Amino acid sequence: MKIIEKVEIDTVTDVMCDVCLCSTRVANDGLEFATLQAHWGYGAKHDGERYELHLCESCFFSTVANLKQERRIQNLFSDEFGIEACEQNEKFGLIATDDYFRDDRGSNL
Ligand SMILES: [Zn+2]
């Protein structure tokens, strides 16, 4: 026997980008965003602090571009930053493509 009652629950109705403050809602009414998070533990300068930032697609790729640039600068005079490292820099953080259903069936890099 099913007992049906109305219950009040909290649910996420939108996610705002923490950088541009825009909604991350896309055309199909879904939410598309990136999450940057950290939970610093014992030994870290920020021990006990937790961070969580949500980024829209545009701000995410701007952030990735900035991180790539920072990596290039920090390794500018490194002998290990050769052609292979440049190729890795192009894929920076990208671990799969064609993973449309988020089931790891896409092409892993
Ligand atoms: Zn944004």
Side-chain angles (χ1 to χ4, degrees):
M1 169 174 52
K2 291 181 179 174
I3 299 170
I4 300 172
E5 295 178 6
K6 287 190 178 192
V7 294
E8 193 172 314
I9 59 168
D10 290 336
T11 186
V12 175
T13 57
D14 199 357
V15 174
M16 310 295 283
C17 175
D18 285 305
V19 176
C20 69
L21 305 179
C22 293
S23 170
T24 60
R25 189 169 302 285
V26 292
N28 68 355
D29 216 30
L31 298 170
E32 290 293 330
F33 57 91
T35 304
L36 177 64
Q37 62 182 18
H39 185 176
W40 301 105
Y42 180 74
K45 291 178 185 171
H46 295 268
D47 186 12
E49 294 180 7
R50 291 185 352 162
Y51 291 82
E52 185 174 277
L53 296 169
H54 298 102
L55 303 173
C56 72
E57 187 175 17
S58 175
C59 291
F60 171 78
F61 283 104
S62 292
T63 301
V64 168
N66 287 335
L67 291 171
K68 282 182 183 179
Q69 181 66 15
E70 184 64 25
R71 184 178 182 186
R72 276 190 216 105
I73 291 168
Q74 289 197 17
N75 294 285
L76 196 59
F77 300 108
S78 169
D79 292 338
E80 296 174 18
F81 202 72
I83 293 172
E84 190 175 310
C86 288
E87 290 172 359
Q88 286 178 351
N89 210 36
E90 291 305 311
K91 296 176 187 173
F92 192 75
L94 180 64
I95 59 171
T97 59
D98 305 324
D99 188 7
Y100 304 108
F101 303 105
R102 299 176 190 208
D103 57 1
D104 291 332
R105 288 192 191 169
S107 305
N108 292 323
L109 301 174

